[in-house]
Amino acid sequence: MNVLVDTDAWLRAAGGGLLIGSAAGLMIIFNGRIAGVSGVLGGLVLDRNSGERRWRTMFLGGMVIGAAALTAFATSLPVPQLQTGWLGMAAAGLIVGYGTRMGSGCTSGHGVCGIARLSTRSILATITFMAFGVITVYLIRHLLGGSA
């Protein structure tokens, strides 16, 4: 095992966490909004308040541009391996989207911002997300013979 690789992975994870936490903090300080991605997207698509469209578009566009820039300039990113085709991905996206609307937020809103604000609702939502994620992986790997 190469210790340098493990250190690099830890540093990348810590750097990503710092960036996410900083972005969430800046969003609440300067915009008074929770940086929940599903809420930002839902507000852009479902709400017709034109005063909100600009910052929502910039927020989501920054995520896309940031990912594109990282992909273009990073030389050692792992190649993603999809476990399903495009139809399965679309179905999964719709299920996740429906779940985030039912749960009044996603992992970024509840897990990052809500827990930081010590919101009981967000703490319970995050525990629920994580528990069902663990259960799903267990079922797929051990009962259905998959490789999730």
Side-chain angles (χ1 to χ4, degrees), residues 35-39 96 99-101 103-112 122 125-126 129:
V37 177
S38 67
V96 168
T100 60
R101 293 307 278 185
S104 299
C106 59
T107 52
S108 57
H110 285 302
V112 175
S122 290
T126 305
F129 297 154

Side-chain angles (χ1 to χ4, degrees), residues 3 17 94 141:
V3 175
L94 290 171
R141 282 193 174 176

Side-chain angles (χ1 to χ4, degrees), residues 12-107:
R12 284 191 302 274
L18 282 171
L19 288 172
I20 291 168
S22 298
L26 291 170
M27 181 81 155
I28 196 104
I29 290 168
F30 290 112
N31 203 13
R33 303 285 185 168
I34 300 296
V37 177
S38 67
V40 174
L41 178 61
L44 181 65
V45 173
L46 302 175
D47 296 340
R48 300 295 177 214
N49 183 352
S50 62
E52 300 276 309
R53 296 186 71 73
R54 182 175 179 206
W55 76 263
R56 290 176 189 275
T57 302
M58 290 173 59
F59 181 91
L60 295 168
M63 290 176 59
V64 172
I65 291 168
L70 181 64
T71 302
F73 296 112
T75 58
S76 63
L77 291 175
V79 177
Q81 297 196 1
L82 300 179
Q83 302 297 313
T84 185
W86 288 107
L87 185 59
M89 294 294 285
L94 290 171
I95 292 167
V96 168
Y98 179 73
T100 60
R101 293 307 278 185
M102 282 184 56
S104 299
C106 59
T107 52

